[in-house]
């Protein structure tokens, strides 16, 4: 039963929830402005629209969006239509699929090219894709590729359409024939091939490897690593990105027993130095997707250490025990070796104690815990053999100290190896959306071992600076972890730069940084200062709120997460200047600068927004099981819930944008801004404001008006031209 309406003077009755006002276009005719009843069947609305233009056969027509991706509207997706949306009457997806299928098989080259061009665009639409696939369209495209008669633009559009259709996961990749794989691999292996064809071929092969275990083996047989590495030496960063992505996919899906073999092949082909010289140190800035692929390669490379990290030492294995003997021999070579068994055993026990092992009698027992397992022993042997002088200096230096201040090399090396495995997340799969690669790990063929060698010297130096004893072991390791993580955060470009960063982060500097951070957190605790803080806080919060809303008015670009990262799709969202409407819309590419409101076809009145949810409570996080497992993506996800029961889902590009948008949206709804960024900004600004107000201004005259702006100089010859 309808509820009675209460008249509040000039109050306007809200429009019915199920009615949306839209414009519908048809070529050569005036647009129809209709009120679409969302409760009516879509076929009934289309029939009415067709009657308005005297078009017969309404079942052969459908509605599409006029802007953006121009997707078909279905009964399932019609709820996304907003007031003011411009739609277009078009032929139905089934009819369009049938016509295009006939045209791509026609004899006229021009007609076939136009059909493939249109197909490449329409294939991104899931409704059209379903119809086209049901008509055996993918098989037709595969045969066109296998025939080898298509070249240039025609082949590029064919591969684009094929990739878009397969991306909908309607059919299995396992249905792809061997001849098709050979043809695609041929394009990758050819020395000279069109860039667009090469790009799509690499993307298709990557999808095959990631989506089908059986196709992995076939692709691995057809693609030579040397040819993929050759594609990294070009100037096109897109091609480089696709090539590294395919290498990563092959690496990720390779059986465990083949990964070490593949790593050796890549090392022989100088993959690391090629990436360093042609990508990292190239003339172009590293884009986000390339950074992600370098991060993935870094993770997969370090994951090769997992087997050794999780392997316990067998105290009865003589080969493994010989490694410990070798450590002792290198450190104490030249000393008299007593012939008696008892004397030798007693001397070895003494040497193992000087080497810093916990178990002096049988040091093999120190390597039975995993992690770090045998990886720690590998690191120690590398240091002893490759940096022998450093190794001997560390061991002998500590063996000559007073017992209470000696740094136990063996125990430190084992614990340091475990710590480095944790910091670099050895054994964990790459995170989607993470770009945290370190250029310095691409500067050396034995980057992990060299990194360990730098850090063990740091540990020894820090131990001395702290004048530590055995009881301080855990405290020293905490300081060393902080030194390493702070240095890594500075992204040193080489191991030498890492050494410089660590030299600047000595124990005194760590104490100073800790004290500074503690002071900024604690500030002053006396009652008058606390009262002043409470009086200042509302002003600062209002300032932060205005900054957040201003950023929302500028807008941000968000990436749509799909099955293939390199074919990125973007959308943009910004708040209207009067703070009353959220405007958003799809973009073909990441924008440079501000996007005008006119290009953003969709909008949400702020008054319709009910709440903002984050993380695992977001609807799109609940739906996508793959993303639900990804902690990093989960931390950047948030959704706007608005009337009637709609959602607008976001995945922020980084933590900063996440905080800006969640704060801004909460501010719009009159709720508390609770992000980490707000807390940090609030503490910083309050601290600055309080220090300014507490300045000693005795005998200082403060002017009533601000000082005048100085006149412009007669010339600007003193400026520096950075170009």
């Amino acid at each position: 039963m309808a509820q009675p309406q209460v008249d509040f003077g000039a109050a306007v009755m809200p429009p019915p929830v199920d009615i949306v006002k839209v414009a519908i276009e048809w070529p050569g005719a005036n647009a129809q402005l209709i009120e679409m009843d969302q409760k009516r069947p879509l076929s009934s609305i289309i029939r009415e629209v067709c009657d308005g233009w005297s078009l017969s056969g309404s079942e052969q027509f459908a509605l599409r969006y006029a802007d953006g991706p121009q997707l078909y509207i279905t009964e399932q997706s019609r709820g996304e239509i907003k007031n003011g949306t411009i739609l277009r009457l078009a032929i139905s997806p089934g009819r369009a699929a049938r016509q295009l299928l006939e045209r791509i098989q026609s004899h006229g080259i021009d007609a076939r090219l136009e059909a493939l061009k249109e197909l490449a665009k329409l294939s991104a639409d899931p409704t059209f894709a379903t119809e086209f696939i049901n008509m055996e369209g993918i098989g037709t495209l595969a045969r066109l590729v296998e025939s080898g008669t298509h070249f240039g633009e025609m082949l590029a559009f064919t591969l684009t359409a094929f990739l878009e259709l397969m991306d909908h996961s309607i059919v299995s990749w396992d249905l792809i024939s061997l001849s098709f794989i050979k043809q695609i691999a041929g394009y990758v292996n050819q020395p000279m091939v069109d860039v667009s064809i090469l790009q799509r071929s690499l993307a298709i092969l990557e999808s095959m490897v990631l989506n089908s275990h059986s196709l992995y083996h076939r692709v691995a047989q057809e693609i030579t690593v040397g040819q993929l590495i050759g594609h990294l030496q070009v100037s096109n960063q897109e091609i480089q990105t696709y090539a590294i992505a395919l290498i990563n996919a092959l690496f990720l899906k390779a059986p465990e027993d083949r990964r070490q073999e593949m790593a050796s092949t890549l090392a022989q082909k100088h993959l690391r130095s090629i990436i360093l010289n042609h990508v990292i140190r190239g003339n172009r800035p590293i884009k986000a997707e390339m950074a992600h692929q370098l991060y993935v390669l870094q993770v997969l490379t370090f994951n090769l250490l997992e087997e050794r990290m999780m392997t316990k030492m067998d105290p009865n294995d003589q080969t493994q025990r010989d490694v410990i003997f070798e450590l002792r021999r290198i450190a104490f070579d030249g000393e008299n070796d007593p012939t008696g068994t008892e004397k030798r055993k007693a001397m070895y026990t003494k040497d193992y104690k000087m080497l810093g092992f916990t178990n002096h009698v049988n040091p093999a027992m120190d390597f039975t815990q995993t992690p770090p397992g045998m990886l720690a022993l590998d690191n120690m042997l590398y240091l002893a053999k490759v940096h022998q002088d450093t190794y001997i200096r560390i061991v002998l230096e500590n063996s000559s100290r007073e017992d209470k201040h000696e740094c136990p090399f063996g125990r430190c090396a084992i614990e340091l190896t475990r710590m480095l495995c944790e910091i670099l997340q050895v054994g964990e799969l790459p995170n989607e959306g993470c770009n945290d690669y370190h250029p310095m790990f691409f500067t050396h063929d034995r980057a992990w071992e060299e990194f360990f060698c730098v850090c063990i010297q740091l540990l020894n130096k820090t131990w001395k600076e702290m004048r530590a004893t055995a009881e301080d072991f855990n405290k020293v390791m905490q300081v060393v972890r902080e030194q390493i993580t702070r240095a890594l955060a500075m992204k040193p470009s080489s191991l030498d730069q890492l050494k410089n960063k660590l030299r600047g982060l000595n124990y005194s500097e760590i104490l100073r940084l800790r004290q500074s951070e503690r002071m900024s957190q604690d500030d002053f605790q006396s009652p008058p200062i606390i009262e002043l803080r409470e009086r200042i806080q509302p002003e600062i919060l209002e300032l932060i709120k205005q900054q957040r809303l201003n950023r929302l008015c500028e807008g941000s670009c968000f990436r749509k997460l799909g099955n293939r990262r390199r074919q990125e799709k973007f959308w943009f969202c910004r708040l209207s200047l009067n703070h009353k409407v959220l405007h958003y819309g799809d973009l073909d590419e990441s924008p440079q600068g501000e996007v005008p409101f006119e290009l953003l076809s969709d909008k949400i009145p702020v008054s319709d927004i009910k709440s903002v949810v984050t993380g695992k409570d977001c609807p799109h996080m609940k739906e996508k099981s793959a993303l639900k497992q990804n902690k990093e993506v989960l931390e950047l996800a948030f959704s706007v819930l608005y009337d009637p029961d709609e959602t607008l889902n976001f995945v922020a590009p980084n933590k900063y944008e996440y905080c800006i948008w969640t704060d801004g949206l909460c501010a719009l709804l009159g709720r508390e801004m609770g992000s980490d960024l707000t807390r940090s900004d609030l503490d910083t600004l309050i601290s600055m404001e309080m220090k300014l107000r507490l300045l000693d201004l005795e005998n200082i005259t403060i002017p009533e008006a601000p000082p005048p702006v100085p006149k412009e100089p007669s010339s600007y010859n003193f400026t520096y031209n950075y170009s």
Side-chain angles (χ1 to χ4, degrees), residues 102-245:
E102 292 171 359
R103 288 166 57 196
I104 63 175
Q105 298 177 83
S106 65
H107 296 293
I109 293 178
D110 291 340
R112 197 186 307 173
L113 178 61
E114 284 303 312
L116 287 168
K117 186 176 181 180
E118 189 176 344
L119 177 63
K121 185 178 179 182
L122 274 175
S123 295
D125 188 309
T127 310
F128 170 84
T130 304
E131 295 288 345
F132 189 80
I133 290 170
N134 289 339
M135 297 176 187
E136 303 296 330
I138 284 185
T140 302
L141 292 178
R143 285 190 293 274
L144 290 176
V145 174
E146 291 168 15
S147 68
T149 56
H150 283 49
F151 304 98
E153 269 193 315
M154 193 174 292
L155 178 58
F157 287 133
T158 305
L159 297 178
T160 301
F162 178 86
L163 195 54
E164 289 286 359
L165 291 166
M166 292 301 295
D167 198 33
H168 293 292
S169 302
I170 297 171
V171 294
S172 170
W173 282 92
D174 289 318
L175 300 175
I176 302 303
S177 68
L178 182 58
S179 58
F180 180 85
I181 297 171
K182 286 180 176 291
Q183 191 68 36
I184 297 296
Y187 298 135
V188 173
N189 291 330
Q190 284 177 18
M192 297 293 291
V193 68
D194 184 80
V195 169
S196 57
I197 294 171
L198 176 58
Q199 189 183 70
R200 287 155 180 78
S201 298
L202 288 167
I204 289 172
L205 291 174
E206 184 203 357
S207 292
M208 287 179 182
V209 171
L210 293 176
N211 290 290
S212 169
H213 179 70
S214 61
L215 291 189
Y216 156 75
H217 294 285
R218 294 181 180 179
V219 173
Q221 290 171 358
E222 297 296 329
I223 293 296
T224 63
V225 172
Q227 194 63 43
L228 287 178
I229 290 177
H231 293 311
L232 297 177
Q233 296 171 284
V234 300
S235 59
N236 187 318
Q237 191 173 119
E238 295 296 320
I239 295 298
Q240 292 175 327
T241 305
Y242 278 91
I244 295 180

Side-chain angles (χ1 to χ4, degrees), residues 203 206 210 238 241-242 245 289 293 564-568:
E206 184 203 357
L210 293 176
E238 295 296 320
T241 305
Y242 278 91
E289 179 54 32
Q293 292 303 332
R564 291 192 320 282
R565 288 177 49 86
R566 275 145 314 290
Q567 297 222 342
E568 290 184 308

Side-chain angles (χ1 to χ4, degrees), residues 520-694:
S520 65
Q521 291 168 4
D522 297 343
D523 263 319
F524 311 100
Q525 298 301 321
S526 62
I529 300 299
I530 292 173
E531 183 182 347
L532 176 61
R533 185 185 181 94
E534 289 173 353
R535 289 179 59 184
I536 292 173
Q537 185 163 317
E539 302 173 24
I540 302 298
L541 279 173
E542 183 61 27
L543 185 66
I544 294 172
K545 174 183 173 182
Q546 290 306 318
Q547 187 270 340
R548 300 294 193 263
L549 294 177
N550 289 341
R551 278 288 289 107
L552 263 61
C553 290
E554 293 173 13
S556 297
C557 181
F558 300 91
R559 183 169 57 82
K560 292 186 175 181
L561 291 180
N563 294 332
R564 291 192 320 282
R565 288 177 49 86
R566 275 145 314 290
Q567 297 222 342
E568 290 184 308
K569 297 179 181 178
F570 301 92
W571 66 285
F572 197 88
C573 186
R574 62 182 297 198
L575 178 66
S576 63
L577 300 180
N578 61 6
H579 300 174
K580 292 186 177 180
V581 179
L582 274 179
H583 296 263
Y584 66 97
D586 293 334
L587 301 174
D588 293 331
E589 57 184 19
S590 182
Q592 300 297 323
E594 196 174 273
V595 176
F597 289 110
E598 298 75 33
L599 297 181
L600 305 176
S601 54
D602 300 308
K603 55 187 177 182
I604 302 171
V606 172
S607 57
D608 287 352
I609 297 177
K610 295 188 288 188
S611 64
V612 178
V613 294
T614 60
K616 63 183 180 181
D617 295 324
C618 298
H620 57 319
M621 292 294 103
K622 293 177 180 177
E623 294 167 5
K624 299 192 177 182
S625 58
L627 291 180
K628 195 160 59 174
Q629 304 302 322
N630 192 322
K631 182 181 177 183
E632 191 138 349
V633 172
L634 202 61
E635 289 176 350
L636 300 177
F638 60 98
S639 297
V640 171
L641 309 184
Y642 61 99
D643 289 331
D645 291 306
E646 303 291 339
T647 62
L648 183 62
N649 301 317
F650 299 75
V651 176
N654 51 53
K655 189 68 176 177
Y656 176 79
E657 289 292 334
Y658 170 85
C659 293
I660 288 290
W661 275 84
T662 51
D663 283 344
L665 291 169
C666 287
L668 281 175
L669 300 179
R671 297 173 189 170
E672 182 182 351
M673 300 179 292
S675 75
D676 295 339
L677 183 63
T678 290
R679 285 191 288 273
S680 172
D681 288 349
L682 184 63
D683 289 343
T684 302
L685 293 171
I686 285 181
S687 175
M688 290 173 60
E689 183 67 18
M690 289 178 66
K691 287 172 183 175
L692 286 172
R693 295 196 184 191
L694 294 171

Side-chain angles (χ1 to χ4, degrees), residues 339-388:
T339 54
T341 305
E342 290 301 319
K343 287 185 178 180
R344 187 185 302 114
K345 185 175 180 181
M347 192 192 78
Y348 281 6
T349 301
K350 178 185 175 185
D351 289 348
Y352 291 144
K353 182 180 180 182
M354 291 168 66
L355 278 169
F357 288 111
T358 304
N359 192 317
H360 308 151
V361 178
N362 186 6
M365 299 302 296
D366 286 16
F367 300 96
T368 55
Q369 288 188 356
T370 57
M374 291 296 289
L375 185 59
L377 187 59
D378 295 343
N379 285 342
M380 294 164 72
L381 185 63
Y382 180 88
L383 174 70
K385 287 193 168 184
V386 179
H387 300 278
Q388 194 170 112

Side-chain angles (χ1 to χ4, degrees), residues 305-313 365-380 410-422 426 448 452 477:
L305 304 168
E306 183 181 12
E307 183 183 354
R308 295 293 285 172
M309 180 182 77
M310 300 307 294
T311 301
K312 296 181 180 181
M313 187 171 189
M365 299 302 296
D366 286 16
F367 300 96
T368 55
Q369 288 188 356
T370 57
M374 291 296 289
L375 185 59
L377 187 59
D378 295 343
N379 285 342
M380 294 164 72
R411 184 185 176 191
C412 287
I414 292 169
E415 186 58 33
L416 178 64
T417 301
R418 180 188 289 110
M419 180 198 297
L420 297 182
C421 289
E422 290 174 1
V426 174
W448 166 264
F452 168 82
M477 296 309 297

Side-chain angles (χ1 to χ4, degrees), residues 215-465:
L215 291 189
Y216 156 75
H217 294 285
R218 294 181 180 179
V219 173
Q221 290 171 358
E222 297 296 329
I223 293 296
T224 63
V225 172
Q227 194 63 43
L228 287 178
I229 290 177
H231 293 311
L232 297 177
Q233 296 171 284
V234 300
S235 59
N236 187 318
Q237 191 173 119
E238 295 296 320
I239 295 298
Q240 292 175 327
T241 305
Y242 278 91
I244 295 180
L246 180 52
I247 290 172
N248 286 339
L250 290 167
F251 217 139
L252 187 64
K253 294 297 180 178
E256 288 187 15
D257 56 341
R258 286 209 63 236
R259 286 180 189 168
Q260 289 287 357
E261 179 188 333
M262 185 176 174
S264 300
T265 305
L266 293 172
Q268 291 169 9
K269 298 290 184 181
H270 308 293
L271 173 66
R272 178 199 59 75
S273 60
I274 289 171
I275 288 177
L276 179 66
N277 295 322
H278 293 273
V279 179
I280 296 175
R281 293 179 179 171
N283 297 323
R284 300 166 307 284
I286 301 293
K287 294 182 180 177
E289 179 54 32
M290 173 60 86
H292 173 73
Q293 292 303 332
L294 292 174
Y295 153 78
V296 172
L297 182 60
Q298 173 185 290
V299 170
L300 295 177
T301 303
F302 283 147
N303 281 357
L304 295 172
L305 304 168
E306 183 181 12
E307 183 183 354
R308 295 293 285 172
M309 180 182 77
M310 300 307 294
T311 301
K312 296 181 180 181
M313 187 171 189
D314 181 0
N316 299 316
D317 188 322
Q318 188 58 43
T319 306
Q320 295 179 4
R321 290 167 63 89
D322 286 345
V323 176
I324 299 177
F325 292 150
E326 182 68 5
L327 289 175
R328 182 213 148 273
R329 186 195 66 76
I330 294 172
F332 305 111
D333 186 39
E335 295 186 7
N336 293 328
D337 189 5
T339 54
T341 305
E342 290 301 319
K343 287 185 178 180
R344 187 185 302 114
K345 185 175 180 181
M347 192 192 78
Y348 281 6
T349 301
K350 178 185 175 185
D351 289 348
Y352 291 144
K353 182 180 180 182
M354 291 168 66
L355 278 169
F357 288 111
T358 304
N359 192 317
H360 308 151
V361 178
N362 186 6
M365 299 302 296
D366 286 16
F367 300 96
T368 55
Q369 288 188 356
T370 57
M374 291 296 289
L375 185 59
L377 187 59
D378 295 343
N379 285 342
M380 294 164 72
L381 185 63
Y382 180 88
L383 174 70
K385 287 193 168 184
V386 179
H387 300 278
Q388 194 170 112
D389 291 344
T390 301
Y391 168 69
I392 293 172
R393 177 178 56 79
I394 291 174
V395 172
L396 297 184
E397 186 180 83
N398 285 289
S399 63
S400 62
R401 286 186 197 169
E402 299 176 37
D403 283 349
K404 65 176 184 177
H405 287 300
E406 67 181 10
C407 175
F409 169 74
R411 184 185 176 191
C412 287
I414 292 169
E415 186 58 33
L416 178 64
T417 301
R418 180 188 289 110
M419 180 198 297
L420 297 182
C421 289
E422 290 174 1
I423 291 172
L424 296 176
Q425 300 178 327
V426 174
E428 296 186 20
L429 288 175
N431 285 325
E432 179 77 18
C434 182
N435 303 336
D436 189 25
Y437 81 98
H438 295 279
M440 70 175 184
F441 290 131
F442 292 87
T443 62
H444 201 286
D445 289 329
R446 303 294 294 272
W448 166 264
E449 291 86 350
E450 289 294 324
F451 183 46
F452 168 82
C453 293
V454 171
C455 293
I456 193 69
Q457 293 178 73
L458 167 73
L459 197 160
N460 187 58
K461 174 172 167 284
T462 302
W463 186 284
K464 288 189 288 185
E465 291 172 349

